[in-house]
Amino acid sequence: MSGSLMPAGPSAVVSGLGTCLPPRVVSNEELSRQLDTSDEWIVRRTGIRRRHVIEPGSSTSVLATEAGRRALKSAQCDRADAVVLATSTPDRPCPATAPEVASALGLGPVPAFDVAAVCAGFVYALATGAGLISTGVAQRVLVIGADTFSTILDPEDRTTRAIFGDGAGAVVLRRGEPDEPGALGPFDLGSDGELAELIMIPAGGSRQRATGVPAAAGGEYFAMQGKPVFKQAVIRMSESVRRVLALAGWSVGQVDRLVAHQANSRILSALADHLTVPHDRVVSNIDRVGNTVAASIPLALADGGLQPGEKVLITSFGGGLSWGSTVLSWPDVIPG
Ligand code: UT7
């Protein structure tokens, strides 16, 4: 159920970081005027105070393109040989969104494709980008995580509307050496499809369409069973972290910063306790952005005030179920 990847040959080195949040901010107070919820409940149960959402007419590719542009600028380069976009809210069900992003960035006819692993998507995309470099397919890869869950939430669902926000983040990976700052270490990736029903959009895919019966009312909306997902998040990320640390030869005590998927501040606390990571080493920006799905990890990397040379542990978990972790020594990059 779980796979690991030790980098073979050249390493993928993080050389740029960029993010994009849509300008519109939705506060807990605004949500409380629309739904039976309160700032007090949302802050106490999730740690979230506000989130960003796109305006009508915008889309995932708009955010992804801007985050990609800023990451390339941060890396002081204007080209990439491949684009890997982690998203579960593509502009359209078909084709992938990454080719349009690559074209909008003027990258030419480079390989570009989407990776769908929901909240674990960015770590899966990082591993994919590292693979493209280690196999010689690309020298430089733009890896983006972008999602606009505001477009798939049930407007009446006070729980999911309180949690999710829109956003995008991207890193540039370049070919380099394993001992360089920024070189991605080993990966631990895994999935468990037996628990797929915990996080899903029931309708709109081949399973529902093959019945010839129109989708049931509300079937097109994202649905999540919060409590079991909470437990799975803590268990799966803890296990994945232990495996990746063993592969990297790091002890928990060596970790300077834990950058975990920002799903709920209580999950971050429970994870830190499970792993015995001091809470002041845990990066958290969930109060300002909520759960931004595939954008969560790069947004946290950019907001975390990470210092060059710090040992950074990244872990993520989401629908599938799927999860993934990796490590790196933080490079001297200025987030754009
Ligand atoms: O990103 C992918 C992974 N996702 C996650 O990791 C999310 C994991 N799950 C969670 O973060 C939490 O389970 C939630 C934040 C989703 C929910 O928190 P909870 O403490 O598990 O609440 P609950 O679902 O057990 O609901 C407790 C109560 C219920 O009321 P009753 O039945 O006790 O009367 C809910 O209806 O809280 C109610 N509730 C709310 N009340 C006010 C649920 N959402 C809200 C809300 N405002 N927004």
Side-chain angles (χ1 to χ4, degrees):
M1 283 205 315
S2 199
S4 60
L5 172 70
M6 284 294 286
S11 279
V13 177
V14 172
S15 59
L17 171 62
T19 61
C20 176
L21 290 166
R24 178 159 148 62
V25 174
V26 175
S27 65
N28 290 349
E29 287 77 14
E30 181 174 342
L31 277 185
S32 309
R33 288 194 292 275
Q34 301 165 10
L35 296 161
D36 181 16
T37 187
S38 65
D39 177 57
E40 188 277 325
W41 190 95
I42 299 171
V43 172
R44 182 168 47 82
R45 303 305 294 167
T46 72
I48 299 166
R49 294 182 184 276
R50 56 184 181 269
R51 69 288 293 144
H52 292 247
V53 301
I54 59 166
E55 299 282 5
S58 188
S59 68
T60 296
S61 70
V62 173
L63 303 183
T65 301
E66 189 53 34
R69 195 186 317 280
R70 292 175 187 175
L72 288 166
K73 192 170 173 212
S74 159
Q76 299 177 320
C77 65
D78 56 9
R79 67 169 190 89
D81 309 319
V83 176
V84 183
L85 171 62
T87 188
S88 300
T89 45
D91 279 19
R92 305 173 189 86
C94 173
T97 301
E100 279 191 71
V101 172
S103 289
L105 289 169
L107 297 178
V110 298
F113 55 95
D114 293 359
V115 167
V118 204
C119 298
F122 190 76
V123 178
Y124 270 67
L126 277 181
T128 306
L132 292 175
I133 287 173
S134 70
T135 54
V137 171
Q139 304 280 319
R140 189 175 276 130
V141 182
L142 181 59
V143 176
I144 310 173
D147 269 303
T148 52
F149 261 46
S150 67
T151 63
I152 57 168
L153 298 181
D154 179 347
E156 303 297 325
D157 184 345
R158 62 181 178 173
T159 307
T160 54
R161 285 210 42 215
I163 297 170
F164 289 97
D166 301 339
V171 298
V172 176
L173 299 180
R174 67 164 170 79
R175 185 186 162 104
E177 300 303 321
D179 52 0
E180 281 187 70
L184 292 172
F187 282 87
D188 176 77
L189 303 176
S191 75
D192 182 356
E194 289 186 9
L195 296 176
E197 79 281 359
L198 294 184
I199 298 177
M200 66 163 50
I201 300 174
S206 59
R207 189 181 288 258
Q208 175 259 315
R209 285 199 296 256
T211 63
V213 178
E220 74 276 30
Y221 293 132
F222 175 84
M224 179 176 74
Q225 298 178 35
K227 275 218 187 304
V229 169
F230 188 114
K231 282 189 193 139
Q232 288 291 325
V234 177
I235 294 167
R236 304 298 194 168
M237 283 194 283
S238 300
E239 291 171 348
S240 180
V241 159
R242 291 203 176 95
R243 282 190 296 268
V244 88
L245 288 180
L247 287 170
W250 291 14
S251 67
V252 172
Q254 285 178 288
V255 174
D256 295 310
R257 307 304 297 275
L258 169 61
V259 179
H261 173 51
Q262 307 282 306
N264 186 320
S265 58
R266 291 185 296 125
I267 292 178
L268 294 175
S269 293
L271 181 64
D273 291 344
H274 259 69
L275 295 170
T276 66
V277 171
H279 285 219
D280 61 3
R281 296 190 190 176
V282 179
V283 168
S284 178
N285 64 349
I286 192 169
D287 57 326
R288 286 161 278 153
V289 296
N291 181 344
T292 54
V293 193
S296 175
I297 293 290
L299 285 171
L301 290 172
D303 283 348
L306 306 177
Q307 297 303 310
E310 283 186 329
K311 284 186 176 303
V312 177
L313 166 61
I314 294 173
T315 187
S316 200
F317 165 87
L321 302 177
S322 51
W323 55 86
S325 306
T326 190
V327 297
L328 75 162
S329 172
W330 194 246
D332 192 3
V333 293
I334 299 170

